[in-house]
Amino acid sequence: MVNIIKGSLDRLDEIMEVYRIAREFMRKTNNPNQWGDNHPPRDLIKKHILEGNLYIGINQSNEILFSFALIFGEDPTYKAIENGKWIDDSNYGTIHSLASAQKIDHVFDYVLAFSLTKIDHIRIDTHEDNKVFQHILEKHNFKKCGVIYLLDGSPRLAYELIV
């Protein structure tokens, strides 16, 4: 049984450990550049918590299994898209900073099911090297829409799902 709850500052160290594990997994699966050695930074995760956008999946023992941000409203990095276009410009939620502690399978199934209880239009992006996540997104009927650029100028593949 997995329960998804809001992340809290008193669990910030545990949450950051999940991100450390996720970065290690990315390196092992030929995706060393998406998050490097320190993304997402602690200050960003803290900001997501304080804004009420960070969620954690926990098991019956209250152990953190995964973490992600679900942010509603226009994402500034999604305004411009190259090599394609968004499917729809209606209100959407964006899933960011998704990380698994590698303790359960099918984490994205939980994240997506939860997110779709909040909004039926979701956007997400990932690094070109993140073949694992690209496969997961396509398996869940996300459509590749083009390329967006993060605030630091890094390109990301942009995906969208409308239910």
Side-chain angles (χ1 to χ4, degrees):
M1 169 102 183
V2 174
N3 191 24
I4 296 178
I5 61 173
K6 291 214 179 211
S8 57
L9 290 178
D10 63 324
R11 299 197 75 173
L12 184 56
D13 288 341
E14 292 172 86
I15 293 167
M16 293 311 298
E17 176 62 10
V18 172
Y19 287 105
R20 186 197 65 73
I21 293 166
R23 286 190 299 271
E24 187 176 299
F25 176 80
M26 287 177 160
R27 280 190 290 277
K28 288 179 182 174
T29 57
N30 299 314
N31 183 23
N33 300 314
Q34 182 169 350
W35 282 359
D37 292 328
N38 61 0
H39 193 84
R42 186 180 185 91
D43 287 348
L44 177 61
I45 299 306
K46 185 176 180 180
K47 178 180 182 260
H48 287 325
I49 291 170
L50 292 173
E51 291 174 349
N53 298 325
L54 192 94
Y55 295 89
I56 56 175
I58 58 172
N59 62 15
Q60 292 174 314
S61 301
N62 203 29
E63 180 180 30
I64 299 177
L65 305 171
F66 57 86
S67 178
F68 68 100
L70 179 61
I71 302 170
F72 300 99
E74 192 170 310
D75 186 311
T77 64
Y78 289 3
K79 284 185 179 183
I81 187 167
E82 291 182 355
N83 302 322
K85 65 178 189 168
W86 294 113
I87 300 166
D88 189 291
D89 288 327
S90 62
N91 291 335
Y92 61 90
T94 305
I95 298 171
H96 281 302
S97 305
L98 171 59
S100 171
Q102 302 299 309
K103 295 179 180 179
I104 61 168
D105 293 329
H106 308 291
V107 164
F108 193 68
D109 292 354
Y110 295 105
V111 171
L112 183 59
F114 174 83
S115 299
L116 289 173
T117 67
K118 307 293 184 190
I119 195 161
D120 62 1
H121 183 184
I122 298 175
R123 290 181 179 174
I124 196 165
D125 63 83
T126 192
H127 194 279
E128 183 178 24
D129 292 342
N130 197 340
K131 304 297 185 196
V132 171
F133 197 52
Q134 290 171 46
H135 172 76
I136 290 169
L137 290 172
E138 290 165 12
K139 183 178 111 181
H140 285 86
N141 298 315
F142 276 77
K143 302 299 181 217
K144 190 186 301 183
C145 294
V147 177
I148 59 98
Y149 292 88
L150 303 182
L151 295 176
D152 70 2
S154 302
R156 293 293 185 267
L157 301 176
Y159 289 81
E160 187 169 32
L161 175 71
I162 303 170
V163 178

